[in-house]
Coordinates of all heavy atoms in Angstrom, one line a residue:
Y1 N -8.5 -5.6 -1.0 CA -7.3 -6.3 -1.6 C -6.2 -6.0 -0.6 O -5.4 -6.9 -0.2 CB -7.0 -5.9 -2.9 CG -5.6 -6.3 -3.3 CD1 -5.4 -7.6 -3.8 CD2 -4.6 -5.4 -3.4 CE1 -4.1 -7.9 -4.2 CE2 -3.3 -5.7 -3.8 CZ -3.1 -7.0 -4.2 OH -1.7 -7.4 -4.5
L2 N -6.0 -4.8 -0.3 CA -4.8 -4.4 0.6 C -4.8 -5.0 1.9 O -3.7 -5.3 2.5 CB -4.7 -2.9 0.6 CG -4.3 -2.2 -0.7 CD1 -4.3 -0.6 -0.6 CD2 -3.0 -2.6 -1.3
R3 N -6.0 -5.1 2.5 CA -6.1 -5.7 3.8 C -5.5 -7.1 3.9 O -5.0 -7.6 4.9 CB -7.5 -5.6 4.4 CG -8.0 -4.2 4.8 CD -9.2 -4.2 5.6 NE -9.8 -2.9 5.7 CZ -9.3 -2.0 6.6 NH1 -8.2 -2.3 7.4 NH2 -9.8 -0.7 6.7
G4 N -5.6 -7.8 2.7 CA -5.1 -9.2 2.7 C -3.6 -9.2 2.6 O -3.0 -10.3 2.6
H5 N -3.0 -8.0 2.3 CA -1.5 -7.9 2.2 C -0.9 -6.9 3.2 O 0.2 -6.5 2.9 CB -1.1 -7.6 0.8 CG -1.6 -8.6 -0.2 ND1 -1.0 -9.7 -0.6 CD2 -2.8 -8.6 -0.9 CE1 -1.7 -10.5 -1.6 NE2 -2.9 -9.7 -1.8
V6 N -1.6 -6.5 4.2 CA -1.2 -5.5 5.1 C 0.1 -5.8 5.7 O 0.9 -4.7 5.9 CB -2.3 -5.1 6.1 CG1 -2.3 -6.3 7.1 CG2 -2.0 -3.9 6.9
A7 N 0.5 -6.9 6.0 CA 1.8 -7.2 6.6 C 3.0 -6.8 5.6 O 4.1 -6.6 6.2 CB 1.9 -8.7 7.0
R8 N 2.8 -6.8 4.4 CA 3.8 -6.5 3.5 C 3.9 -5.0 3.1 O 4.9 -4.6 2.4 CB 3.6 -7.3 2.2 CG 3.7 -8.8 2.4 CD 3.1 -9.5 1.1 NE 3.9 -9.1 -0.2 CZ 3.3 -9.4 -1.2 NH1 2.2 -10.0 -1.5 NH2 4.1 -8.9 -2.4
L9 N 3.0 -4.2 3.6 CA 3.0 -2.7 3.3 C 4.0 -2.0 4.2 O 4.3 -2.4 5.3 CB 1.6 -2.1 3.5 CG 0.5 -2.7 2.6 CD1 -0.9 -2.0 2.9 CD2 0.8 -2.3 1.1
S10 N 4.5 -0.9 3.7 CA 5.3 0.0 4.5 C 4.5 0.7 5.6 O 3.2 0.7 5.6 CB 6.0 1.0 3.6 OG 5.0 1.9 3.1
E11 N 5.1 1.2 6.6 CA 4.4 1.8 7.7 C 3.7 3.0 7.2 O 2.5 3.3 7.7 CB 5.4 2.3 8.8 CG 6.1 1.2 9.5 CD 5.1 0.3 10.1 OE1 4.1 0.8 10.9 OE2 5.2 -1.0 10.1
D12 N 4.2 3.8 6.2 CA 3.5 4.9 5.6 C 2.2 4.5 4.9 O 1.1 5.0 5.1 CB 4.3 5.7 4.6 CG 5.3 6.6 5.2 OD1 5.2 6.9 6.4 OD2 6.2 6.9 4.5
S13 N 2.3 3.3 4.3 CA 1.1 2.8 3.5 C 0.0 2.2 4.4 O -1.2 2.2 4.3 CB 1.5 1.8 2.4 OG 2.1 2.5 1.5
K14 N 0.5 1.7 5.6 CA -0.4 1.2 6.6 C -1.3 2.3 7.2 O -2.5 2.2 7.3 CB 0.3 0.4 7.8 CG 0.9 -0.9 7.3 CD 1.7 -1.5 8.5 CE 2.3 -2.9 8.1 NZ 3.2 -3.4 9.0
T15 N -0.5 3.5 7.4 CA -1.3 4.6 7.8 C -2.3 5.2 6.7 O -3.4 5.5 7.0 CB -0.3 5.8 8.2 OG1 0.6 5.3 9.2 CG2 -1.1 7.1 8.5
R16 N -1.9 5.1 5.5 CA -2.7 5.6 4.4 C -3.9 4.7 4.1 O -5.0 5.0 3.6 CB -1.9 5.7 3.1 CG -0.8 6.8 3.1 CD 0.1 6.7 2.0 NE 1.1 7.8 2.0 CZ 2.2 7.8 1.4 NH1 2.7 6.8 0.6 NH2 3.1 8.8 1.5
L17 N -3.7 3.4 4.5 CA -4.8 2.3 4.3 C -6.0 2.8 5.0 O -7.2 2.6 4.6 CB -4.3 1.0 4.7 CG -5.4 -0.1 4.5 CD1 -5.8 -0.2 3.0 CD2 -4.8 -1.4 5.0
E18 N -5.8 3.4 6.2 CA -7.0 3.9 7.0 C -7.4 5.2 6.6 O -8.6 5.5 6.7 CB -6.6 3.9 8.5 CG -6.0 2.6 9.1 CD -7.1 1.4 8.9 OE1 -8.2 1.7 9.1 OE2 -6.6 0.3 8.7
K19 N -6.6 6.1 6.2 CA -6.9 7.5 5.9 C -7.2 7.8 4.4 O -8.1 8.6 4.1 CB -5.9 8.4 6.4 CG -5.8 8.5 7.9 CD -4.7 9.5 8.3 CE -4.6 9.6 9.9 NZ -3.7 10.6 10.4
N20 N -6.4 7.2 3.6 CA -6.5 7.5 2.1 C -5.8 6.5 1.3 O -4.7 6.6 0.8 CB -5.8 8.9 1.8 CG -6.2 9.5 0.5 OD1 -6.6 8.8 -0.4 ND2 -6.0 10.8 0.4
P21 N -6.5 5.3 1.2 CA -5.9 4.2 0.5 C -5.4 4.4 -0.9 O -4.5 3.7 -1.4 CB -7.1 3.1 0.6 CG -8.3 3.9 0.7 CD -7.9 5.2 1.5
L22 N -6.0 5.3 -1.6 CA -5.7 5.5 -3.1 C -4.1 6.0 -3.1 O -3.5 5.9 -4.1 CB -6.5 6.5 -3.7 CG -8.0 6.1 -4.1 CD1 -8.7 7.1 -4.8 CD2 -8.0 4.8 -4.8
R23 N -3.7 6.7 -2.1 CA -2.4 7.2 -2.0 C -1.3 6.1 -2.1 O -0.1 6.3 -2.4 CB -2.1 8.1 -0.9 CG -2.9 9.4 -0.9 CD -2.0 10.5 -0.2 NE -0.9 10.8 -1.0 CZ -0.9 11.9 -1.8 NH1 -1.9 12.6 -2.0 NH2 0.3 12.1 -2.4
I24 N -1.6 4.9 -1.6 CA -0.8 3.8 -1.6 C -0.4 3.5 -3.1 O 0.8 3.1 -3.3 CB -1.4 2.5 -1.0 CG1 -1.8 2.9 0.5 CG2 -0.5 1.3 -1.0 CD1 -2.4 1.7 1.2
L25 N -1.2 3.7 -4.0 CA -0.8 3.5 -5.4 C 0.3 4.4 -5.9 O 0.9 4.1 -6.9 CB -2.1 3.7 -6.3 CG -3.2 2.7 -6.0 CD1 -4.5 3.0 -6.9 CD2 -2.9 1.3 -6.1
D26 N 0.5 5.6 -5.2 CA 1.6 6.4 -5.5 C 2.9 6.1 -4.9 O 4.0 6.7 -5.1 CB 1.2 7.9 -5.1 CG 0.1 8.4 -6.0 OD1 0.0 8.1 -7.1 OD2 -0.7 9.3 -5.4
S27 N 2.9 5.1 -4.0 CA 4.1 4.8 -3.2 C 5.2 4.4 -4.0 O 5.1 3.7 -5.0 CB 3.8 3.6 -2.1 OG 4.9 3.2 -1.5
K28 N 6.5 4.8 -3.6 CA 7.7 4.4 -4.3 C 8.4 3.3 -3.4 O 9.5 2.9 -3.9 CB 8.5 5.7 -4.5 CG 8.0 6.9 -5.3 CD 7.6 6.4 -6.6 CE 7.1 7.6 -7.5 NZ 5.8 8.1 -7.0
D29 N 7.9 2.9 -2.5 CA 8.4 1.8 -1.7 C 8.4 0.6 -2.5 O 7.4 0.3 -3.0 CB 7.7 1.6 -0.3 CG 8.4 0.5 0.6 OD1 9.2 0.8 1.3 OD2 7.8 -0.6 0.4
E30 N 9.6 -0.2 -2.5 CA 9.6 -1.3 -3.4 C 8.7 -2.4 -2.9 O 8.1 -3.2 -3.8 CB 11.1 -1.8 -3.4 CG 12.1 -0.9 -4.1 CD 13.5 -1.5 -4.2 OE1 13.6 -2.7 -3.7 OE2 14.3 -0.9 -4.7
G31 N 8.5 -2.6 -1.6 CA 7.6 -3.6 -1.1 C 6.2 -3.2 -1.4 O 5.4 -4.1 -1.8
D32 N 5.8 -2.0 -1.3 CA 4.5 -1.5 -1.7 C 4.3 -1.8 -3.2 O 3.2 -2.2 -3.6 CB 4.3 -0.1 -1.4 CG 4.2 0.2 0.1 OD1 4.1 -0.7 0.9 OD2 4.5 1.4 0.5
Q33 N 5.3 -1.5 -3.9 CA 5.1 -1.6 -5.4 C 4.8 -3.2 -5.8 O 4.0 -3.4 -6.7 CB 6.4 -1.1 -6.1 CG 6.5 0.4 -6.1 CD 7.7 0.9 -6.8 OE1 8.5 0.1 -7.4 NE2 7.9 2.2 -6.8
E34 N 5.4 -4.0 -5.1 CA 5.2 -5.4 -5.3 C 3.7 -5.8 -5.1 O 3.1 -6.5 -5.7 CB 6.1 -6.3 -4.5 CG 7.5 -6.4 -5.0 CD 7.6 -6.9 -6.4 OE1 7.0 -8.0 -6.7 OE2 8.3 -6.3 -7.3
V35 N 3.3 -5.3 -3.9 CA 1.8 -5.5 -3.5 C 0.9 -4.9 -4.5 O -0.1 -5.5 -5.0 CB 1.5 -5.0 -2.1 CG1 0.0 -5.0 -1.8 CG2 2.3 -5.6 -1.0
I36 N 1.2 -3.7 -5.0 CA 0.3 -2.9 -5.9 C 0.2 -3.6 -7.2 O -0.9 -3.5 -7.9 CB 0.9 -1.5 -6.1 CG1 0.8 -0.6 -4.8 CG2 0.2 -0.8 -7.2 CD1 1.6 0.5 -4.8
K37 N 1.2 -4.4 -7.7 CA 1.2 -5.1 -8.9 C -0.1 -6.0 -9.1 O -0.6 -6.2 -10.1 CB 2.4 -5.9 -9.1 CG 3.6 -5.1 -9.4 CD 4.9 -6.0 -9.7 CE 6.1 -5.3 -9.9 NZ 7.3 -6.1 -10.1
G38 N -0.5 -6.5 -7.9 CA -1.7 -7.4 -8.0 C -3.1 -6.8 -7.6 O -4.0 -7.5 -7.5
A39 N -2.9 -5.4 -7.4 CA -4.2 -4.7 -7.0 C -5.1 -4.6 -8.2 O -4.8 -4.6 -9.3 CB -3.8 -3.2 -6.7
P40 N -6.5 -4.6 -7.9 CA -7.5 -4.4 -8.9 C -7.2 -3.2 -9.8 O -6.7 -2.1 -9.2 CB -8.8 -4.4 -8.2 CG -8.4 -4.0 -6.8 CD -7.1 -4.5 -6.5

């Protein structure tokens, strides 16, 4: 799911996508939070 929205992710979350994608769900970045709303 996140790979389909990678352009909207923060730089921190782009790094986490490769190393620890579950941490993106903890992100406080407003852009990340919008993406997370549609996550499975």
Side-chain angles (χ1 to χ4, degrees):
Y1 168 78
L2 292 174
R3 288 197 188 283
H5 301 272
V6 67
R8 298 167 57 195
L9 294 176
S10 66
E11 291 303 314
D12 283 344
S13 288
K14 289 176 182 177
T15 300
R16 290 168 181 163
L17 182 58
E18 303 301 325
K19 294 185 176 182
N20 197 339
L22 292 184
R23 291 211 71 95
I24 297 175
L25 300 176
D26 290 329
S27 174
K28 301 299 186 289
D29 180 88
E30 291 183 3
D32 290 343
Q33 290 179 359
E34 285 299 315
V35 173
I36 293 167
K37 286 179 181 178

